[in-house]
Structures are given as C-alpha cells and as structure tokens.
Amino acid sequence: MSETAERLKRNNIRPSYARIRIMEYLMEHPVHPTVEDIYQNLVKEIPTLSKTTVYNTLDLFVRHNLARVVTIEENETRYDADTTNHGHFKCETCGSVYDFTINDDGLETKGIGDFAVTEKHVYFKGICKKCLYSKE
Amino acid sequence: MSETAERLKRNNIRPSYARIRIMEYLMEHPVHPTVEDIYQNLVKEIPTLSKTTVYNTLDLFVRHNLARVVTIEENETRYDADTTNHGHFKCETCGSVYDFTINDDGLETKGIGDFAVTEKHVYFKGICKKCLYSKE
DNA sequence: GTACACATTTATAATAAATCCAAGATTGGA
DNA sequence: TCCAATCTTGGATTTATTATAAATGTGTAC
Ligand SMILES: [Mn+2]
Ligand SMILES: [Mn+2]
Ligand SMILES: [Zn+2]
Ligand SMILES: [Zn+2]
C-alpha cells in the first residue's frame, strides 16, 4: 500500500483510488491548484473522474486537516496540502501564488482579545521578483 | 450637497443618487456587507435599483480606493468602506465579521524579500466573545 | 429653455463556479 | 458470498458575476 494510502487510512479516510490520486496531485503540485486544475489534470488518467468527486474529496481532506482552503481572489478557491501556518503572496502580473513563512509572534492584534482564534490567514498581493525584473 | 456627494466629487466620481446611497450604506453599516445585502436593503428605497449597478458602483469605489474587497469565505465577496490597514475576524458560529487593528511591524516574512507588496490582508477565524459566552 | 454628447442605470442574457441529487458501483466485514 | 454502508458519477440546479445593448439622466453650449 502506498505511502499516501497509509496516511489516508491513519486519518480515517478510506483510501480510494480517486482520493489517493487527488492527495498525491496536491502534494506534487504545491502551487495551490483550483478544483478545475486538479480535475483537468487528473481526468487525463482517470477518465471517469467527476468534478463532484474532486469537490467532495477536497472537502473531506479539509475536514480532516489534510488540506487547507486558500482564499485570495474572489471566485478562485485554491487548495493547499501544506496545513502549517504560512502566508501567501499572489503576483498580480503572472498570477502565481507563492508561500512565505510568517512569524506572527510580533503581530499585535487589538480588538479581539477574548475571541477564540482557530485559523490565521495572511496573504499579500503585489508583483513577484520574476515579474519585476522582466519588466520593461 | 451632501458630505458624501462632496467626497465622491473630490475623487472624480460623479455623485449620482445610487452612488451616494451605496457609499452611505457602506459607511453606515460597517459589517462588511455583500452585494446581495446592499442590494436587498437599498432596493426598498430605490425600487428601480439593479444589482448590476451595485456591482459596478462597488467596483468603481474599489478602483478609486474608497472601498476594499474583503475576501474571507469563498463565494462571499464583502465590501468595506474602511480602507485603512486592519484585520478581520470571522466568527464561525454567528457569521459576523469583526475588525481588529493590527500592527504588522513585528510580522516577519521570509521568502518574499524582493517582492513588491501592494496589499496586505489578514483574517482570522474562530468564535467571537458573544458566542463563546452564550454557549451551554 | 432646448439640443446634444456623454455618463449612468437598467433589463436581460451569457458565463462560470459550486452544490445538489438520485442512481449505480465499490468496499469491508459478517 | 452477501449485505449494508460508503463512494463515485453524470446531470441538473443554484448562485455569483460579467457582458451587452437599450433606456434614461445630466451638464453644458447655444
Ligand atoms: Mn501554501
Ligand atoms: Mn473592516
Ligand atoms: Zn509574477
Ligand atoms: Zn459569534
């Protein structure tokens, strides 16, 4: 049984072929793909795959903390197999989404003192190095 | 001429009635409303209002920096007349979106050293004070 | 005040993403 | 092997957003 299958099992997820391949795709393509990306690429090798399965499976992973939803642009839900705390940078020129490490120890937050925080999301927008240098 | 009309003018936006009322709605309801919220409430007093106008007007405001898009949940684009740098907290129990002040001086970011950052977004999720206390 | 060019708003249709659903296929355990 | 539970599928549906073109409103020159 594959590494990925084992991991799914350990997380109480029945390791069906679709689930294994979707998880592998997520891990092998850490570019924060959309449902559409994942579907279009996997349907080549799994012709019977349906988009609903991709939605359901990603949902399942998120509920089991094996993946995260990355919401940056409206109407562009992306997924990330890296569930550790990190930030995202979206280049408005080339559209790439980069990861960056954050240390929020120094982040002061006034106004939500007694709130229970379960998720922290940080994303920046701008122009990436590559696009900056290739300009004019 | 109203305060709001003046402000729109100063920003090179012709102060039509729809635009004035949409801006006023945004400022009087700092709860990060959606297009739907705004439309449903304003159509009561402006029966001819169309949703397209709400979309277009908000877009215009964002382009002129009089409003911001707040993207937290997928498929739930919210708008904010407060364009200063601040964070958002969404309560997963009651759905409210709170503001909080952030001081990101202390936020270390490794990995995007040479990138040009134009926008910074921070949002947390969890359970708000009110919901925490009213529980069981 | 009228005419006209231009800006704004509207109704409607087109797209596209996400969700729902019911039926069929697959699975693990008795 | 058989069955009940779980998964997957295709298609229909819903919902959000954008596009288009016609209608309406506005400011200004005459
Ligand atoms: Mn990431
Ligand atoms: Mn806000
Ligand atoms: Zn770039
Ligand atoms: Zn709450």
Side-chain angles (χ1 to χ4, degrees):
Chain A
M1 184 174 295
S2 81
E3 178 82 10
T4 302
E6 299 280 11
R7 196 159 77 97
L8 293 182
K9 252 191 157 172
R10 275 200 307 282
N11 284 275
N12 302 312
I13 293 174
R14 205 137 92 183
S16 70
Y17 187 63
R19 290 170 175 177
I20 292 172
R21 291 301 296 124
I22 291 172
M23 175 52 81
E24 285 176 350
Y25 186 88
L26 257 193
M27 297 198 298
E28 288 161 10
H29 301 85
V31 294
H32 317 90
T34 62
V35 165
E36 189 65 22
D37 293 334
I38 298 168
Y39 173 76
Q40 288 302 340
N41 283 287
L42 287 183
V43 78
K44 292 175 196 161
E45 66 174 88
I46 315 173
T48 64
L49 184 67
S50 94
K51 216 177 273 189
T52 304
T53 295
V54 180
Y55 275 106
N56 290 340
T57 302
L58 288 170
D59 234 50
L60 190 68
F61 290 167
V62 170
R63 285 204 307 281
H64 284 78
N65 265 302
L66 295 179
R68 275 195 160 211
V69 174
V70 178
T71 306
I72 297 184
E73 223 65 73
E74 327 79 84
N75 320 328
E76 194 187 78
T77 306
R78 293 160 170 271
Y79 289 85
D80 194 344
D82 180 354
T83 59
T84 64
N85 190 29
H86 64 281
H88 293 109
F89 177 96
K90 172 155 185 173
C91 174
E92 298 191 292
T93 300
C94 67
S96 309
V97 174
Y98 296 82
D99 288 317
F100 63 87
T101 63
I102 53 177
N103 179 349
D104 58 20
D105 293 345
L107 185 70
E108 284 178 46
T109 58
K110 265 183 240 175
I112 50 168
D114 296 321
F115 291 22
V117 176
T118 56
E119 288 179 41
K120 294 181 180 183
H121 299 264
V122 175
Y123 69 87
F124 291 177
K125 289 189 192 177
I127 303 176
C128 78
K129 196 174 178 174
K130 210 189 296 178
C131 290
L132 276 176
Y133 282 77
S134 67
K135 251 191 185 166
E136 72 224 275
Chain B
M1 184 175 295
S2 81
E3 177 83 12
T4 303
E6 298 280 13
R7 196 159 78 96
L8 293 182
K9 254 192 155 169
R10 276 200 306 281
N11 284 275
N12 302 312
I13 293 174
R14 198 189 270 189
S16 71
Y17 187 64
R19 289 170 174 177
I20 293 171
R21 291 301 296 123
I22 291 172
M23 176 51 82
E24 286 176 348
Y25 186 89
L26 256 194
M27 296 197 298
E28 288 162 9
H29 301 85
V31 294
H32 315 90
T34 62
V35 165
E36 189 64 22
D37 293 334
I38 298 168
Y39 173 75
Q40 289 302 338
N41 283 288
L42 287 183
V43 79
K44 293 176 197 162
E45 67 174 89
I46 315 173
T48 64
L49 184 68
S50 91
K51 214 178 275 188
T52 304
T53 295
V54 180
Y55 275 105
N56 290 339
T57 302
L58 289 170
D59 234 50
L60 189 69
F61 290 166
V62 170
R63 286 204 308 279
H64 284 77
N65 265 303
L66 296 178
R68 277 195 159 209
V69 174
V70 178
T71 307
I72 297 185
E73 224 64 74
E74 327 80 84
N75 319 327
E76 193 187 78
T77 305
R78 292 161 170 271
Y79 290 84
D80 194 344
D82 180 354
T83 59
T84 65
N85 189 29
H86 65 280
H88 292 109
F89 177 97
K90 172 156 185 173
C91 174
E92 299 191 293
T93 300
C94 67
S96 309
V97 174
Y98 297 82
D99 288 318
F100 62 87
T101 63
I102 53 176
N103 178 348
D104 57 22
D105 295 343
L107 184 70
E108 284 178 46
T109 59
K110 263 183 241 176
I112 51 169
D114 296 320
F115 292 21
V117 176
T118 55
E119 288 178 41
K120 294 181 179 184
H121 299 265
V122 175
Y123 68 88
F124 291 177
K125 289 189 191 177
I127 303 176
C128 77
K129 197 173 177 175
K130 209 188 298 178
C131 289
L132 277 176
Y133 282 76
S134 66
K135 252 190 186 168
E136 70 225 274

